Amino acid sequence: MYIIVAIIVVLVLIIVTLIIYNMSIHKKVTAFSNLNEKINSLNVLQNFMDTIGEYTSVNEKLSKINNIIIQKFDDLKYSTIVVFDGAEYKVKATNVDEKHWKTLVNLYNEEIFKDSITTATPKYVTVERENERLPYQKMEFGRAKSAMFFPLFIDNVYIGYWLIESGLAHAFDNLDTAMLEVIKNNIVTILKTIEYQKTIENIVRDDYYSGLKSAEYLYGEGKKLIDKYTISAVCMFRITNLENINEEGSRNVGNEIIIEISDMIKNSISKEYIFVRYMGPKFIIVFTGVNSQDTVEFLKELKQKVESLKFSKNEIDMEENETDKVFMPKLNMVVSSYYKGTSMDSLAKKLEEYLDENNKENSINYI
């Protein structure tokens, strides 16, 4: 009898030990899973930051961000970012077939999401049975079985929403909503960042006289080309006597000088290089992939050619005065190095300040 009791006691102890051990293993697995989720979240955020730092178009950037979200979460099948542009809702990024876009851009009208927008809180919806469909689905029966809707706000102003969907019911029951909130906030941050980028893209203009792009080109599409290289030489030059020529000659003479100099330089530099009219008498040449010291001889020769040009007031203004005035442009140049990923705007301001502070010079300087 005592033997049976002893055996039972031993078995109970073994069972209790196994239960404790299993609970310990479960806790470790849960902790590891949570840690893995946090690492995954950090990786997502790091990828987001890398994407912000890259230069691509606004739409390409949003599309890449959306793809990062889809790839990082196993149960997430679809992700869609919809933004209100002031006139209408537009799909900015999605992996959902275009035939469903009409439904996606009208989610703000769905009763189930209206309260979510009003209260600025996410909304989770899922089906309970296989033959059910989500409330907002029209012709897409079976495409998604669960979804989370996140309204997006910039400075308390509603600007659209982010929708994630899964083909599984209850797919997001145990998903870390805090992590999703962080991702949502980063989407908002990116939307704010690329709104500035979009503005820059839209204000680039072709200068009427020189035919060159305006300075804003350097901070948008131009930067994409420049950042293909680790280092580039940036030369800003000023036609130092342009204002005097406009006064002593005429505006027509000054305009002709701008046209002639711009054409000469465009024909003298590689198509890989970027040439813009920065402002008034100031211009910038970016020698992509070139060290600044390697431009010395070329710029000396270019300066000499430009300063040998002669412009007759009589010919340009079609006058027949006995005393003609002839004008020759003078250039002041400053050159520095641009490094990939740094601020082109800051470098341009630095070069401009140098020219403004040394406006009596007529030389080539390397800083």
Side-chain angles (χ1 to χ4, degrees):
M1 181 69 179
Y2 291 109
I3 295 173
I4 295 172
V5 171
I7 292 172
I8 291 172
V9 170
V10 170
L11 289 174
V12 168
L13 289 173
I14 291 172
I15 291 169
V16 170
T17 302
L18 288 173
I19 289 172
I20 293 171
Y21 178 75
N22 285 337
M23 289 175 64
S24 173
I25 292 294
H26 178 71
K27 286 181 180 179
K28 288 180 181 179
V29 169
T30 301
F32 178 78
S33 178
N34 291 337
L35 177 62
N36 197 43
E37 279 190 359
K38 289 177 181 178
I39 292 171
N40 190 38
S41 177
L42 289 173
N43 287 336
V44 170
L45 300 184
Q46 181 60 54
N47 289 338
F48 276 15
M49 294 306 102
D50 292 342
T51 301
I52 293 175
E54 293 175 0
Y55 183 82
T56 53
S57 71
V58 170
N59 289 337
E60 287 174 329
K61 191 167 289 187
L62 276 174
S63 179
K64 184 170 182 179
I65 289 163
N66 204 51
N67 288 337
I68 290 169
I69 295 168
I70 295 162
Q71 291 166 6
K72 292 296 182 180
F73 299 97
D74 294 335
D75 291 335
L76 198 158
K77 189 173 183 181
Y78 303 106
S79 176
T80 302
I81 300 170
V82 176
V83 175
F84 181 64
D85 66 2
E88 60 182 336
Y89 285 82
K90 290 185 177 179
V91 173
K92 290 296 184 181
T94 187
N95 64 326
V96 177
D97 193 286
E98 192 171 353
K99 66 184 180 182
H100 301 303
W101 287 13
K102 186 175 180 181
T103 298
L104 294 174
V105 297
N106 283 290
L107 293 182
Y108 68 97
N109 278 325
E110 295 289 335
E111 285 297 328
I112 197 167
F113 297 132
K114 284 184 178 179
D115 186 56
S116 176
I117 295 170
T118 303
T119 59
T121 55
K123 180 71 176 180
Y124 177 32
V125 292
T126 185
V127 300
E128 296 298 334
R129 292 181 293 274
E130 192 62 31
N131 61 348
E132 286 183 337
R133 71 172 70 189
L134 296 174
Y136 63 86
Q137 292 180 327
K138 308 301 178 187
M139 61 182 222
E140 47 206 307
F141 178 68
R143 183 180 68 81
K145 297 293 185 182
S146 52
M148 288 195 77
F149 177 93
F150 296 87
L152 304 176
F153 291 81
I154 293 180
D155 300 328
N156 296 320
V157 177
Y158 169 69
I159 54 128
Y161 45 86
W162 170 42
L163 182 78
I164 58 173
E165 299 171 291
S166 173
L168 303 174
H170 295 278
F172 306 134
D173 286 4
N174 299 315
L175 199 59
D176 186 353
T177 54
M179 179 175 65
L180 291 175
E181 279 291 323
V182 172
I183 293 173
K184 182 205 73 175
N185 291 336
N186 276 270
I187 290 172
V188 171
T189 300
I190 290 164
L191 287 171
K192 289 173 71 173
T193 303
I194 62 179
E195 189 60 34
Y196 168 75
Q197 178 183 323
K198 185 178 177 182
T199 301
I200 292 296
E201 290 175 354
N202 290 339
I203 63 176
V204 174
R205 296 289 183 270
D206 289 340
D207 180 60
Y208 180 77
Y209 293 105
S210 66
L212 303 174
K213 299 288 186 188
S214 59
E216 291 78 17
Y217 181 76
L218 291 175
Y219 316 130
E221 190 65 27
K223 195 170 189 297
K224 179 181 178 181
L225 302 175
I226 298 166
D227 279 353
K228 288 181 178 179
Y229 305 90
T230 303
I231 188 171
S232 295
V234 180
C235 170
M236 180 182 286
F237 68 85
R238 176 189 174 113
I239 307 173
T240 57
N241 57 344
L242 185 63
E243 291 93 339
N244 291 335
I245 291 171
N246 286 337
E247 292 175 6
E248 296 176 14
S250 70
R251 180 70 66 174
N252 289 336
V253 177
N255 291 339
E256 188 61 33
I257 286 174
I258 289 172
I259 293 169
E260 188 74 22
I261 290 175
S262 299
D263 287 344
M264 174 182 283
I265 294 176
K266 276 189 286 188
N267 293 328
S268 300
I269 62 175
S270 166
K271 291 181 180 179
E272 297 292 318
Y273 301 156
I274 294 171
F275 182 30
V276 300
R277 187 172 185 180
Y278 184 74
M279 186 184 298
K282 297 168 189 164
F283 297 75
I284 286 181
I285 308 171
V286 181
F287 299 90
T288 51
V290 176
N291 190 291
S292 59
Q293 293 303 317
D294 294 335
T295 65
V296 174
E297 293 304 319
F298 175 80
L299 290 178
K300 281 182 181 178
E301 184 180 336
L302 184 65
K303 186 174 187 296
Q304 185 178 17
K305 284 182 180 179
V306 169
E307 294 183 341
S308 66
L309 295 173
K310 296 180 180 181
F311 297 85
S312 163
K313 175 175 168 53
N314 281 1
E315 288 182 10
I316 294 171
D317 288 338
M318 297 183 182
E319 297 175 349
E320 295 183 359
N321 296 332
E322 290 184 5
T323 55
D324 188 15
K325 286 186 177 181
V326 176
F327 299 93
M328 299 177 70
K330 297 294 180 183
L331 301 185
N332 192 22
M333 294 179 155
V334 61
V335 187
S336 189
S337 295
Y338 166 81
Y339 297 91
K340 178 180 178 179
T342 58
S343 171
M344 176 62 74
D345 180 51
S346 297
L347 177 58
K349 287 187 182 300
K350 172 185 170 185
L351 298 178
E352 183 180 24
E353 286 171 2
Y354 181 91
L355 290 179
D356 289 343
E357 291 170 3
N358 301 275
N359 56 10
K360 302 298 182 184
E361 285 187 3
N362 176 32
S363 58
I364 304 174
N365 294 280
Y366 290 80
I367 61 174

